[in-house]
Amino acid sequence: NALVGVGLSNAEADIQARACGGSPSIWRVWNLIRFGDPESEIPEWGKQECSALVVPAVLLGGWSESSDGDKEVIKTISGKAFEEYRDQLNRFVSTDNPLLIKVSDAWVISAPATAFALTDRYITQGHLEALSGVVKTVFSEVDPTIDLPPDERPYAGIKDIRMKHSTWLRDGLAGSLLRIGVIGHQLERNGVIPHRQSCQSYVDAIVRELP
């Protein structure tokens, strides 16, 4: 509503509000990324000294701390045990420009497009190779509830029949592939995409290998 009030169309206001996670301060950084120099406005989590910790979280997009499958993915992509990684990230939740928000048992990147734009310069080939493996693992999983009779599927959770990985993680990984394909040009310029592929070719290759 505030963005519409300063003259943006409803469609553009919706895009920008989603890009910045509804945060006015992140909105300012988002606009500086597109039209100016954001260096003086970059939040702590967007600086190089935090990149080893932050980049894996940005690429994952979100996860559930009650999902053992999600914890294994975090260990794979971050190189840290889940509990250690969670505790180190916690300082980026209660800040003026939060990297993450907590929703019940889930951790979610608050402004994924802005977080990606601020950290893409720190993404390495190793990050992308790990992401490729994680995406193939997560999206190769078959929903076990399809083996249940249709009238029993609504009660699958009661029987603890569920997918190994959370919806938060699947949505986050899908979003990361989208951002790499659409706004990942810095990765091409840095030459970090495996096999010297383009951003779109990297994403296409991953998707083609899914069952």
Side-chain angles (χ1 to χ4, degrees), residues 56-57 60 62-65 67-86 89 107 134 169:
L60 292 176
W63 58 85
S64 168
E65 60 184 5
S67 167
D68 290 338
D70 289 12
K71 293 178 182 179
E72 284 299 315
V73 166
I74 288 172
K75 183 177 180 180
T76 297
I77 202 166
S78 72
K80 301 176 183 287
F82 170 76
E83 291 77 13
E84 177 186 5
Y85 190 66
R86 175 200 60 199
L89 277 178
W107 296 57
V134 161
L169 180 63

Side-chain angles (χ1 to χ4, degrees), residues 11-12 51 53 55 58 62 65 82 102 195 201-202:
E12 180 62 22
S51 61
L53 184 65
V55 166
V58 171
E65 60 184 5
F82 170 76
K102 292 183 180 180
H195 312 300
S201 296
Y202 165 78

